[in-house]
Amino acid sequence: SEIIDTGEMLVVSRVDLADFKSFNERAGFTTGDRTIQALAHAIASVGRGRGVRFVGHLGGDDFIVAWNDEDEAVVGAIEIAVELMTGMEPLGPLPEGVRNPELAVSTLQVKPGEIRDVGTLANRLAALKEEVRRHGGAVHALARLDTISTPAWRPLDAGYVAVAGRVAGVLGR
């Protein structure tokens, strides 16, 4: 609410793992817990490195990040995906037929004065997350309040992230 009260541009992402419940049940709860810890570490590491405005844990595999601007959100989502993949390596092999979870990031860009309270922001982010859930897979959706149902999509699958992560590294922090 303090960030909303500043009257500045707000770029906020809801970060979670696509279909985590199914992954957790198939991979085992210990692996699921370690996966959430790996995601938390990835988000915190990227957040510290970028000096983001806010990082929070909503519960389970759901996190929130308030970025400094839209470009940072785009590059930050890629960096989180890279960090998550690295953090998953020490967990070892998953049970047969179980794949690593896919990162899903829902980013909302809000102009000054468009949202006046945290509840409205949470509702708009939830609507965007539903669009991401319907789309499925490892993706980053970027929207404004008037484009929540038609966000700009960016892939976050392993192949894309392997290439984009190198580019993000070159761009620096």
Side-chain angles (χ1 to χ4, degrees):
S1 64
E2 290 175 13
I3 296 171
I4 291 171
D5 291 344
T6 66
E8 298 171 3
M9 177 71 74
L10 176 62
V11 180
V12 63
S13 296
R14 188 159 174 180
V15 181
D16 71 327
L17 300 171
D19 199 24
F20 179 73
K21 183 177 180 181
S22 175
F23 169 81
N24 196 35
E25 290 172 355
R26 296 180 73 216
F29 296 111
T30 300
T31 299
D33 287 347
R34 290 182 180 150
T35 300
I36 291 173
Q37 290 170 359
L39 178 58
H41 175 76
I43 293 168
S45 175
V46 170
R48 277 190 304 275
R50 293 201 158 274
V52 300
R53 299 172 83 177
F54 178 82
V55 173
H57 183 214
L58 300 171
D61 67 314
D62 286 302
F63 294 84
I64 189 164
V65 180
W67 306 95
N68 294 304
D69 59 41
E70 183 179 334
D71 292 338
E72 184 176 72
V74 171
V75 175
I78 295 166
E79 290 176 340
I80 290 169
V82 169
E83 292 277 336
L84 176 62
M85 284 190 263
T86 302
M88 292 292 296
E89 290 172 5
L91 300 182
L94 295 172
E96 188 173 325
V98 177
R99 294 184 341 212
N100 279 333
E102 298 179 309
L103 185 67
V105 180
S106 311
T107 300
L108 188 60
Q109 184 180 45
V110 181
K111 293 177 186 171
E114 281 188 316
I115 288 183
R116 301 192 194 289
D117 62 88
V118 174
T120 302
L121 177 61
N123 289 338
R124 303 302 356 136
L125 275 169
L128 182 56
K129 181 181 175 179
E130 275 306 308
E131 289 299 323
V132 169
R133 191 172 281 152
R134 277 194 282 280
H135 185 278
V139 295
H140 181 196
L142 184 63
R144 291 172 182 74
L145 290 179
D146 61 344
T147 63
I148 287 175
S149 62
T150 58
W153 297 102
R154 289 183 172 80
L156 284 178
D157 61 87
Y160 175 82
V161 168
V163 172
R166 288 192 291 272
V167 172
V170 170
L171 293 177
R173 294 184 185 252

